[in-house]
Amino acid sequence: MKKLFLKQKLEFSAVEKFTVKNENEEDCYIVQGNAVQVGGKTLHVLDMNENKLLSVHQKLLALMPKFFVYKGESQEQVAEIQKKMAFLGSKYIIEGPGWEVKGKFTDHDYNITKDGNQVASLHKAWISLGDCYEIDIEDGVDDTLVLAVVLAINMVLENEAMAADS
């Protein structure tokens, strides 16, 4: 099992940039994007040499939040993430790999499954400066794709928090 830690620092700038660490507290990925972007927010997952591995693009004007995941420089679409209505908690469908994400009522714990088998789990810290996630990924699972799902969920939570504040 692989463990990643995503800690997004609170910064007030036009460009978001933060690193993802592994279980040894070593930087292993960079996440970069524009804080304000016309046409929907896009975040890029880069390796430590700043090569683009994945892009997560938020679709605007959708009934429920929807995201597209593109691979590398070729920008081949590899997944579509869509939030679905759920009675208690959150549910996301990830077309492409055939994953499903369900969150507990508190929306701080999520499980990613495929055909009923766990692919990954994530926990969002209750109290921290910025958003902080602990991500457990099963062996053989594409950790960058799991990271893309976490980024999409985080964008949904940020948008919901901004809507609640206004």
Side-chain angles (χ1 to χ4, degrees):
M1 182 173 292
K2 187 173 194 175
K3 191 177 283 286
L4 296 177
F5 297 92
L6 183 153
K7 180 162 174 90
Q8 184 177 8
K9 297 176 184 168
L10 284 176
E11 294 180 13
F12 300 100
S13 69
V15 177
E16 289 182 89
K17 187 173 184 177
F18 53 93
T19 58
V20 177
K21 296 185 182 296
N22 63 19
E23 60 271 6
N24 298 321
E25 297 186 21
E26 301 164 330
D27 292 341
C28 56
Y29 298 110
I30 299 167
V31 176
Q32 185 173 352
N34 293 327
V36 178
Q37 191 169 351
V38 176
K41 186 175 182 177
T42 299
L43 293 176
H44 305 286
V45 178
L46 313 171
D47 65 16
M48 294 313 296
N49 294 318
E50 299 201 11
N51 297 307
K52 189 186 301 179
L53 302 174
L54 285 176
S55 298
V56 181
H57 178 73
Q58 177 183 18
K59 180 181 179 185
L60 291 181
L61 303 175
L63 183 59
M64 295 296 289
K66 185 183 272 192
F67 301 85
F68 300 100
V69 181
Y70 302 98
K71 188 173 187 167
E73 296 295 336
S74 69
Q75 293 295 285
E76 170 192 351
Q77 185 176 328
V78 294
E80 182 178 307
I81 303 166
Q82 185 165 11
K83 184 174 182 181
K84 298 289 185 179
M85 297 295 283
F87 180 61
L88 293 174
S90 297
K91 180 179 178 178
Y92 297 81
I93 300 297
I94 296 84
E95 293 179 16
W99 295 349
E100 182 177 88
V101 181
K102 289 186 179 175
K104 293 186 181 173
F105 179 72
T106 60
D107 282 341
H108 282 77
D109 292 298
Y110 297 86
N111 287 313
I112 303 173
T113 59
K114 179 176 182 166
D115 300 326
N117 298 313
Q118 186 159 307
V119 171
S121 64
L122 53 130
H123 172 74
K124 182 179 179 188
W126 277 95
I127 300 173
S128 90
L129 293 173
D131 294 321
C132 186
Y133 292 90
E134 180 179 322
I135 309 160
D136 291 310
I137 304 167
E138 296 296 325
D139 293 332
V141 174
D142 182 349
D143 53 333
T144 60
L145 192 51
V146 172
L147 188 54
V149 171
V150 174
L151 293 171
I153 291 170
N154 190 58
M155 282 192 265
V156 170
L157 294 175
E158 285 177 351
N159 290 342
E160 289 173 351
M162 285 190 326
D165 288 344
S166 51

